[in-house]
Amino acid sequence: MKIALGSDHGGFVLKEEIKGHLLAKGYEVEDFGCYSLDSVDYNEAAISVSEGVASGLFNRGILVCGTGIGMSIMANKVKGIRAALVHDLFTAKATREHNDTNVLTMGGRVIGGGLALDIVDTWLETEFSNAERHLRRITKINNY
Ligand code: RB5
């Protein structure tokens, strides 16, 4: 599985931790920045990661900013992206089963690395349910 990663300064530390975790697990990872704690807008990384996923170059994207909110709003502007802001394990599982989300966003100032890595694992390993009602709702999102 190929995963695109991105952050702003508020998510940089957690993004680096997630990158190390994914590489250790054997995932193919591309890091679209940022690359330091210097202040940057979240928009560019969100767009690069989201366009990479929407185009099919990457299977999934993970974006981290201070709260996860800016990344989530920006990613969901990209056609074909269903991004979910997740800070708990129940939602990590449910958003894969129900929404078939292809981008995960989190807040580096909201949760610690331990929970964040469990969320990443749960989100990556949970399959979409393929239930008719969920497909119907996703189709309505896609058609809007
Ligand atoms: C940066 O200070 C912060 O606003 C950003 O990381 C993010 O939380 C925005 O949604």
Side-chain angles (χ1 to χ4, degrees):
M1 189 185 286
K2 290 175 74 172
I3 300 171
L5 272 186
S7 77
D8 71 357
H9 54 289
F12 172 72
V13 172
L14 181 54
K15 185 258 292 173
E16 291 298 303
E17 198 171 344
I18 292 169
K19 181 166 58 179
H21 177 72
L22 294 176
L23 290 171
K25 292 194 100 174
Y27 287 102
E28 208 176 315
V29 174
E30 187 161 336
D31 184 354
F32 287 87
C34 62
Y35 306 107
S36 77
L37 287 169
D38 294 344
S39 180
V40 290
D41 298 339
Y42 51 77
N43 311 77
E44 282 71 27
I47 292 169
S48 300
V49 166
S50 299
E51 289 187 347
V53 172
S55 71
L57 273 176
F58 297 91
N59 304 95
R60 304 276 188 86
I62 299 175
L63 291 164
V64 191
C65 60
T67 60
I69 296 170
M71 288 296 194
S72 162
I73 294 170
M74 191 73 244
N76 277 308
K77 289 276 188 186
V78 177
K79 195 166 175 55
I81 293 303
R82 291 178 302 283
L85 170 58
V86 174
H87 288 133
D88 67 275
L89 291 171
F90 173 81
T91 311
K93 186 166 177 279
T95 195
R96 285 289 310 130
E97 290 175 340
H98 293 207
N99 314 116
D100 196 17
T101 43
N102 48 14
V103 169
L104 169 68
T105 80
M106 290 182 290
R109 296 171 181 160
V110 181
I111 50 171
L115 176 56
L117 297 186
D118 281 353
I119 288 170
V120 165
D121 288 344
T122 300
W123 184 76
L124 288 174
E125 290 163 15
T126 303
E127 296 294 331
F128 176 52
S129 71
N130 265 304
E132 192 280 330
R133 68 187 187 285
H134 294 312
L135 278 168
R136 182 179 69 240
R137 292 160 191 166
I138 290 169
T139 300
K140 287 183 180 179
I141 294 171
N142 292 341
N143 291 341
Y144 179 73

